[in-house]
Amino acid sequence: MDHDEKTMSLNERSTLLPNFLEDPNKKHLIDGQWVASMSEERIDTFNPATGAVLATLSRGRTQDIDRAVQVARRAFEGPWRLFTPAARQQVIMRFAELFEKHFDELTLLESLDMGAPLHKRLRAGKSGIIQTILYFAAQARNIGGALPHNSLAGNVTTMIIQAPVGVVGAIIPWNGPLFSQMHVLGPVLATGCTAVIKPAEDASLAILRTAELLLEAGLPPGVVNVVTGLGVEAGAALAAHPDVNRLAFTGSTQVGREIIKASAGNMKRLQLELGGKSPDIVFADADLEKAVPGVAMGVYSNSGQICFAGTRIFVQRGIQEEFLDQLASYSKTLKVGNPLEEDTVLGPLISQRQLDRVLGYVRTGQDEGASLVAGGSRMGGDLAEGYYLEPTLFGQVTNAMTVAREEIFGPVASVIPFGTVEEALRLANDTPYGLASGVWSSNVNTVMRMVHGIQAGTVWVNCYGLIDPAVGFGGYKESGYGWKGGESQIDGYLYQKAAYINGSNV
């Protein structure tokens, strides 16, 4: 595909499909083979830019999940167990090379699937994903144990060994499947676990293609399996399966609660990254030249479909009107349009269902007394067939309004005034969520007071949305638990066992 052409229509560009879509009827990948659902049922997946059917997926149900889990268990207890840390690392490194080689194709698949602006992903997405893969490749050789001293009588040596937990189930969200899957694939491959992945029904294609590349990299069949289907069917079956040892889920807090209940059957370990309503706090001494675009894209990136989006924008009184005016002006410069065009900043929402949901929140905000400063309408004209929404900004919002309390998952921002540092902390923490936060200030005392006082898994200062795989990311309160990235994520895919060796009898 020629990335420099800007004049091609959406329909013309949509004909430039990856080879992977030559056959749009997709199957599950189980034990290294493409297999249909046992029921032979299928579901459609749509291009959110056009509303047209993009492909059909096999509709996985309980029996398909069970088949994949059995295969993953056999692979875990079979040849994959014989791979040394060096051998696992080599597989991950070959996968990284293939992923980089096919990055344009994978990114196009993701863009067609969920509407992310293609050129933004091509410019900025590759390095972050590749770094994440390479980080976990390094961790494959970094799994240790311990030889603790003991106080036992006789010649007894004690060891603590870290071992892979077994079969990992993963339910991947639709709002960034390429990146999200790496925080499952990375620790699975590094530790020697196996996996059954259930992609979101709205965005499965890039994950299916990634699994194909893993086989090409030399991963034994059955180590990573992908079952497509609906969350209430295939996803629920995976969460409840008695032979899944760990489950990783990214999605809504409501579904997270159901997964916690389903996990009780076999006490499976959980990694949950759930909803957010993140505060982004702008103090009067902030550099507005940096804060305005930083705050704006903290909300509007990926059309607001990011769990840590900074949608509650707290602005200190004294600069509130100036900041609101600048933010409104900036939001109106962001091009909403065809995700395959180079100058597009915001693409469509994922589905008609999601668009209707977000528009419902826009109406609720107005009904409750918030002032609609910018946006708020579905895009028409050439974009009328897709699920496009203008970047939307509310003023005169209180922290008690629905638009300030509930996760909208769309390009909708609310500006809320505050006075003192103490008031900013109180308002920021007045939420059931605790995923992320932002602070904009040039005063180091203010910054450190906020860093220590905000109840969230991440605090960004004079920036927003930066993530490094060695540092990681996670939630607090109803935003979930478990950590993605860093040593603690690796620890979550391992369990400890103690060995007591009586040297007198050996």
Side-chain angles (χ1 to χ4, degrees):
M1 184 175 66
D2 185 352
H3 299 314
D4 294 326
E5 285 195 46
K6 302 179 185 178
T7 58
M8 296 181 70
S9 71
L10 179 59
N11 288 333
E12 288 172 327
R13 282 186 179 273
S14 295
T15 64
L16 300 176
L17 300 179
N19 292 336
F20 188 67
L21 278 178
E22 286 183 354
D23 180 2
N25 299 311
K26 294 304 170 191
K27 299 178 179 180
H28 310 304
L29 187 63
I30 300 176
D31 206 13
Q33 303 293 322
W34 295 111
V35 296
S37 293
M38 296 179 73
S39 69
E40 298 187 351
E41 293 178 283
R42 306 191 64 80
I43 55 176
D44 291 332
T45 183
F46 298 87
N47 182 339
T50 65
V53 173
L54 179 63
T56 66
L57 307 172
S58 290
R59 183 173 181 171
R61 294 183 180 271
T62 300
Q63 60 267 38
D64 303 294
I65 290 292
D66 185 59
R67 177 183 180 184
V69 171
Q70 290 182 37
V71 165
R73 177 61 60 187
R74 288 199 301 271
F76 176 70
E77 296 174 354
W80 181 234
R81 193 176 268 279
L82 302 178
F83 276 57
T84 64
R88 294 199 302 272
Q89 184 184 59
Q90 288 172 2
V91 170
I92 302 173
M93 295 296 290
R94 286 196 296 270
F95 169 60
E97 292 176 2
L98 286 168
F99 192 92
E100 186 167 18
K101 177 182 177 182
H102 292 276
F103 185 77
D104 284 15
E105 173 197 356
L106 291 163
T107 305
L108 178 55
L109 279 171
E110 184 181 66
S111 184
L112 293 169
D113 229 355
M114 51 79 63
L118 176 63
H119 294 280
K120 182 177 174 62
R121 286 286 205 268
L122 290 173
R123 286 194 305 269
K126 180 186 290 188
S127 62
I129 297 178
I130 297 297
Q131 283 182 29
T132 300
I133 299 172
L134 295 179
Y135 172 79
F136 286 113
Q139 298 312 302
R141 294 197 187 211
N142 200 34
I143 297 169
L147 290 169
H149 294 291
N150 63 72
S151 300
L152 299 170
N155 182 22
V156 177
T157 299
T158 46
M159 298 188 299
I160 295 177
I161 301 166
Q162 291 185 301
V165 296
V167 177
V168 175
I171 300 174
I172 307 297
W174 48 258
N175 61 323
L178 282 177
F179 181 76
S180 294
Q181 68 176 338
M182 294 310 168
H183 279 284
V184 174
L185 293 176
V188 161
L189 301 183
T191 59
C193 293
T194 58
V196 176
I197 295 176
K198 208 297 285 184
E201 54 266 33
D202 292 314
S204 297
L205 299 178
I207 290 179
L208 288 168
R209 180 68 177 117
T210 298
E212 196 172 50
L213 292 178
L214 282 167
L215 294 173
E216 189 177 338
L219 191 69
V223 173
V224 173
N225 308 273
V226 181
V227 177
T228 57
L230 302 176
V232 295
E233 296 171 350
L238 187 60
H241 200 287
D243 206 24
V244 171
N245 304 106
R246 179 176 177 83
L247 188 83
F249 170 76
T250 300
S252 72
T253 298
Q254 179 182 357
V255 176
R257 291 191 181 98
E258 296 302 315
I259 286 175
I260 292 171
K261 294 176 185 177
S263 72
N266 68 334
M267 303 293 288
K268 60 172 61 66
R269 298 184 179 194
L270 296 178
Q271 175 187 314
L272 303 177
E273 182 187 321
L274 306 178
K277 194 68 182 176
S278 300
D280 205 357
I281 307 164
V282 184
F283 286 88
D285 59 6
D287 181 347
L288 296 192
E289 191 172 323
K290 295 179 180 177
V292 169
V295 168
M297 297 317 295
V299 178
Y300 298 135
S301 287
N302 210 34
S303 297
Q305 299 170 125
I306 298 177
C307 53
F308 56 72
T311 54
R312 289 189 301 147
I313 304 170
F314 296 101
V315 182
Q316 196 163 29
R317 294 184 182 91
I319 65 165
Q320 179 191 353
E321 293 303 322
E322 176 188 2
F323 188 86
L324 186 61
D325 288 344
Q326 290 191 33
L327 189 60
S329 297
Y330 185 86
S331 70
K332 293 172 183 176
T333 69
L334 303 175
K335 180 189 173 182
V336 181
N338 173 0
L340 304 185
E341 290 180 353
E342 190 168 7
D343 56 349
T344 292
V345 179
L346 305 184
L349 298 181
I350 185 66
S351 65
Q352 182 67 55
R353 179 182 68 254
Q354 183 66 11
L355 176 61
D356 291 341
R357 180 177 182 271
V358 176
L359 286 171
Y361 276 107
V362 173
R363 290 190 294 271
T364 298
Q366 293 173 292
D367 291 343
E368 292 183 357
S371 173
L372 186 61
V373 178
S377 298
R378 182 175 185 170
M379 305 291 289
D382 293 340
L383 304 178
E385 297 301 317
Y387 313 127
Y388 296 92
L389 180 66
E390 297 173 313
T392 300
L393 177 62
F394 280 111
Q396 298 180 8
V397 178
T398 71
N399 208 38
M401 290 182 178
T402 302
V403 291
R405 303 301 299 174
E406 297 183 11
E407 185 176 39
I408 298 174
F409 228 62
V412 180
S414 298
V415 171
I416 305 168
F418 73 91
T420 64
V421 171
E422 288 69 26
E423 185 182 10
L425 277 175
R426 178 179 61 80
L427 291 170
N429 292 334
D430 181 18
T431 174
Y433 298 110
L435 192 56
S437 59
V439 176
W440 300 83
S441 174
S442 58
N443 186 309
V444 67
N445 292 323
T446 299
V447 166
M448 295 312 298
R449 177 76 178 89
M450 301 304 291
V451 165
H452 289 293
I454 293 174
Q455 298 169 356
T458 299
V459 182
W460 288 294
V461 177
N462 295 326
C463 60
Y464 204 90
L466 302 180
I467 297 177
D468 186 279
V471 178
F473 184 81
Y476 178 56
K477 297 194 284 190
E478 291 186 20
S479 289
Y481 42 77
W483 200 252
K484 294 170 72 171
E487 293 181 6
S488 59
Q489 184 174 16
I490 292 292
D491 290 342
Y493 287 71
L494 302 164
Y495 75 95
Q496 289 188 341
K497 63 173 73 175
Y500 293 78
I501 303 172
N502 187 344
S504 303
N505 299 321
V506 174

